[in-house]
Amino acid sequence: MIAKPEREQIIALINREVVPAIGCTEPIAVALCVAKATETLGRRPEKIHALLSANILKNAMGVGIPGTGMIGLPIAIALGALTGKSEYQLEVLKDITPEAVEEGKKMIDAQTICIGLKEGISEKLYIEVCCEAGNEKATAIIAGGHTTFIYVAKNDEVLLDKQTSSDAAEETDGPELSLHKVYEFATTAPLEEIRFILETRRLNKNAAERSFEGNYGHQLGKLLRSSKSEEELMGSNTFTHILSYTSAACDARMAGAMIPVMSNSGSGNQGITATLPVVVYAEENHKTEEELIRALTLSHLTVIYIKQSLGRLSALCGCVVAATGSSCGITYLMGGDYGQITYAVKNMIANLTGMICDGAKPSCALKVTSGVSTAVLSAILAMEHKCVSSVEGIIDDDVDRSIRNLTRIGTQGMNETDRLVLDIMTHKQCD
């Protein structure tokens, strides 16, 4: 068993990375930054200037903003100023009202809000907001993490300045992880220390079930759950239930439903994908609560571990990482040992590497479903001791090196892809 001081570090890491969120985390993080700048200003801003990294722009262009029926950054920024509370973190917009939405539309029409690309930075997650009223102004900057403020100032008074680190990167102090350490922690930590992970089941399963009752996004989850789909093609079984629950929660979130989900590493979709396949498999196969707790911990911590080297935002779709976590959790629930879990990870990397992120939007439910279906397939293969070998593609005999190969492609090899995707998206908007 891992020693208690290191277990406490890992638990603190999970609690930092697995948190509730309402709405897509990129526009919500922008709203959070606006809320902080507005609070610092001390009055309603007359002008709001937002300078954002390309990846923030990409992930905020096509996604619904909770409680508004609207898409994109302007309404998120307006509501961050009107009703946002920075103490709510990624639930910053939970107090919005229909009246506030109408007032936000007026702010947009009055051209109060200016949004631009921050030039000359390599940090993929960067949000700089300046709010002005009269002769006063307040500035807030988030970088490295969706809730990580590195600079706050009012007029010439600097209230917070953590910009000394390279590219304003998020602090990375914490336990040094490997896949084996992730597995060891998840399978040996005292149950009372990790029971809190069950909150991911409550929030994310509730999001899926509420989505079944509505008509969100492309309604993929609802379609997969329909009697027509089950009878004519897919059948009603654990596999289709995993797909329907996971995609339904994503449908609701991407459409802007005012429904909280439990995120992972700054992404609600990653939290959903790391949670619901594991939950559905455990429940339908009558696994014990302890088995579910340990499988969820394994899934979520695997995602956190991979994201440590991939970064918060990248050209690589986050569902690849999150589905890899859920594949580990499902393999564990199937009775797999550590060796079989490494097989599942390698099978995932061999299959899904290269899936691009082209922003947050309703069709993310399709990518999530692709990732989750591959997660189940990879687990089944792993249980039969079937694994993509080191003579094939980017897979290495060592599972941690295989993971590094995946994240190197996401962080280095796909940078030009990222630029091209953003160029296509932004020019399409102008056509």
Side-chain angles (χ1 to χ4, degrees):
M1 181 185 293
I2 296 172
K4 187 173 182 180
E6 189 171 14
R7 292 204 312 272
E8 290 174 345
Q9 282 188 311
I10 295 173
I11 290 166
L13 174 65
I14 297 172
N15 279 317
R16 284 200 306 272
E17 299 292 0
V18 180
V19 297
I22 296 176
C24 176
T25 45
E26 278 69 57
I28 294 301
V30 176
L32 173 62
C33 200
V34 173
K36 174 66 83 172
T38 301
E39 291 163 0
T40 305
L41 185 65
R43 57 193 285 197
R44 176 171 165 172
E46 297 166 359
K47 285 286 183 183
I48 303 173
H49 301 270
L51 292 175
L52 312 172
S53 61
N55 285 75
I56 291 288
L57 282 172
K58 180 180 74 173
N59 280 358
M61 288 169 59
V63 70
I65 306 303
T68 68
M70 299 173 68
I71 288 173
L73 277 169
I75 191 63
I77 289 173
L79 291 170
L82 292 170
T83 68
K85 292 184 176 64
S86 64
E87 65 192 76
Y88 292 165
Q89 299 283 285
L90 293 178
E91 296 180 288
V92 61
L93 297 185
K94 69 180 182 180
D95 287 345
I96 64 173
T97 62
E99 293 76 20
V101 173
E102 291 306 310
E103 193 63 29
K105 292 176 182 178
K106 292 177 184 177
M107 287 182 69
I108 296 168
D109 291 341
Q111 298 185 333
T112 301
I113 298 162
C114 178
I115 302 168
L117 179 67
K118 180 69 176 182
E119 303 285 357
I121 59 167
S122 59
E123 171 59 58
K124 292 181 181 294
L125 198 166
Y126 184 92
I127 303 163
E128 179 179 327
V129 172
C130 180
C131 292
E132 300 177 9
N135 294 321
E136 294 190 311
K137 69 175 183 178
T139 301
I141 300 175
I142 286 175
H146 291 80
T147 60
T148 305
F149 284 96
I150 64 161
Y151 184 83
V152 179
K154 182 175 182 180
N155 299 321
D156 296 326
E157 181 184 3
V158 177
L159 305 174
L160 172 72
D161 190 353
K162 294 183 178 179
Q163 298 185 94
T164 53
S165 59
S166 175
D167 294 324
E170 186 179 16
E171 295 178 9
T172 57
D173 292 341
E176 186 174 336
L177 297 177
S178 65
L179 188 66
H180 188 269
K181 185 168 287 186
V182 168
Y183 172 80
E184 185 181 8
F185 174 83
T187 56
T188 66
L191 206 58
E192 62 273 13
E193 293 184 7
I194 57 175
R195 187 177 296 276
F196 67 88
I197 204 71
L198 286 176
E199 183 67 3
T200 64
R201 173 181 65 176
R202 186 187 71 82
L203 276 186
N204 292 340
K205 190 175 180 185
N206 175 67
E209 289 173 345
R210 288 179 62 181
S211 182
F212 291 139
E213 297 169 0
N215 296 302
Y216 297 105
H218 297 295
Q219 301 176 45
L220 178 59
K222 195 171 183 178
L223 176 65
L224 288 170
R225 198 171 187 243
S226 69
S227 58
K228 180 179 179 181
S229 174
E230 290 178 345
E231 291 171 6
E232 293 185 1
L233 182 62
M234 302 291 288
S236 179
N237 51 54
T238 300
F239 178 63
T240 55
H241 298 161
I242 285 172
L243 298 184
S244 63
Y245 267 80
T246 310
S247 56
C250 183
D251 283 330
R253 180 174 174 270
M254 291 290 93
M258 186 61 84
I259 301 172
V261 301
M262 194 67 84
S263 66
N264 183 305
S265 302
S267 166
N269 284 348
Q270 286 171 188
I272 289 166
T273 305
T275 302
L276 289 175
V278 177
V279 168
V280 174
Y281 184 90
E283 291 180 349
E284 298 203 358
N285 287 277
H286 311 292
K287 297 299 177 178
T288 66
E289 183 177 77
E290 177 175 354
E291 288 173 314
L292 174 59
I293 290 170
R294 296 196 183 282
L296 284 172
T297 302
L298 175 61
S299 178
H300 279 279
L301 191 55
T302 298
V303 178
I304 293 167
Y305 166 50
I306 299 173
K307 292 291 286 186
Q308 283 180 335
S309 58
L310 180 63
R312 296 277 175 170
L313 301 177
S314 76
L316 183 69
C317 176
C319 87
V320 174
V321 176
T324 300
S326 62
S327 189
C328 292
I330 291 170
T331 304
Y332 170 80
L333 290 172
M334 288 177 170
D337 58 18
Y338 174 69
Q340 287 161 310
I341 286 167
T342 68
Y343 291 171
V345 171
K346 292 179 184 181
N347 291 338
M348 289 294 293
I349 293 171
N351 194 330
L352 287 180
T353 296
M355 182 184 288
I356 65 167
C357 171
D358 55 343
K361 67 274 183 225
S363 61
C364 285
L366 296 167
K367 293 190 178 187
V368 164
T369 304
S370 295
V372 171
S373 61
T374 303
V376 176
L377 175 64
S378 295
I380 292 170
L381 285 169
M383 291 305 296
E384 295 296 321
H385 299 277
K386 304 293 185 184
C387 175
V388 177
S389 71
S390 60
V391 300
E392 302 174 70
I394 64 169
I395 300 304
D396 194 287
D397 284 329
D398 182 275
V399 69
D400 293 294
R401 284 199 292 267
S402 294
I403 289 170
R404 294 295 179 274
N405 293 342
L406 166 72
T407 59
R408 280 181 61 202
I409 289 169
T411 55
Q412 300 172 33
M414 294 177 71
N415 279 336
E416 184 58 35
T417 300
D418 217 15
R419 286 189 285 270
L420 182 58
V421 167
L422 184 68
D423 182 68
I424 291 170
M425 291 173 66
T426 53
H427 284 84
K428 178 182 65 175
Q429 299 295 319
C430 299
D431 289 342

